[in-house]
Amino acid sequence: MRALVVYESTPGNTETIAEHIAAGLARWMEVDLAEVTSAPTCIGEHAGLLVVGGPTSAFDPNHPATEHGLRNWLNTIHKGLNPVHAATFDTRTENTPGLATHTAEKHLRRAGFHIITEPANSFYLDTTGTPRPAEPQRAGRWAEHLAAKLATTAHHPR
């Protein structure tokens, strides 16, 4: 199986988390990492697993979306003919309310993707917007757990 990790990251902090997620997945499968402006829209041609992430503002329906932002990209993607599993993550500071990944998961479900994790996949930034010291490693472990769960799901279909 091949994975595609797509992220939005204006100052680059979510990119750091996405890179660690890609590295964790790479222990189990081939992985492509793409910033949202260069990500494909027909996912099934590229991957059997899509992992989507960005800062909480990228998922906030009340935040103005940019033309090349994650929310707009989510409105254009489709899984194609092949089944595609998906998971989401976000980056946030400690005081950011809510789970922004719910919005992304709604888009993905409507497009026919199978969500394979719970939506509480937040990685925390300090007050300067830099990932907290343990978060990149936690992102890698989360990705390994995700890949293991996917392997189990693939061998034991529902």
Side-chain angles (χ1 to χ4, degrees):
M1 180 176 287
R2 186 171 199 89
L4 173 63
V5 178
V6 176
Y7 65 92
E8 178 179 337
S9 183
T10 306
N13 298 316
T14 302
E15 180 178 15
T16 299
I17 297 297
E19 288 169 345
H20 280 80
I21 288 171
L25 291 171
R27 295 183 178 162
W28 293 76
M29 62 190 75
E30 292 183 45
V31 180
D32 293 312
L33 180 65
E35 201 276 330
V36 69
T37 58
S38 61
T41 56
C42 184
I43 307 306
E45 293 178 5
H46 301 277
L49 171 63
L50 172 65
V51 180
V52 178
T56 54
S57 61
F59 300 110
D60 184 352
N62 298 317
H63 189 274
T66 62
E67 180 182 350
H68 300 290
L70 197 55
R71 278 192 308 149
N72 283 345
W73 178 78
L74 284 167
N75 285 325
T76 66
I77 65 170
H78 55 95
K79 66 176 192 58
L81 299 176
N82 299 318
V84 180
H85 298 279
T88 60
F89 71 94
D90 65 31
T91 55
R92 63 181 59 223
T93 59
E94 185 75 29
N95 298 324
T96 306
L99 289 173
T101 56
H102 282 297
T103 302
E105 288 184 5
K106 286 178 188 176
H107 284 278
L108 292 167
R109 279 193 182 94
R110 274 185 276 171
F113 293 85
H114 175 71
I115 306 299
I116 61 170
T117 64
E118 295 298 318
N121 310 314
S122 294
F123 299 98
Y124 291 93
L125 309 175
D126 64 22
T127 55
T128 66
T130 303
R132 289 183 179 171
E135 293 302 84
Q137 291 76 23
R138 191 169 73 84
R141 287 191 309 272
W142 175 75
E144 289 182 40
H145 172 76
L146 185 65
K149 183 173 184 171
L150 183 60
T152 303
T153 303
H155 288 101
H156 302 294
R158 293 178 187 197

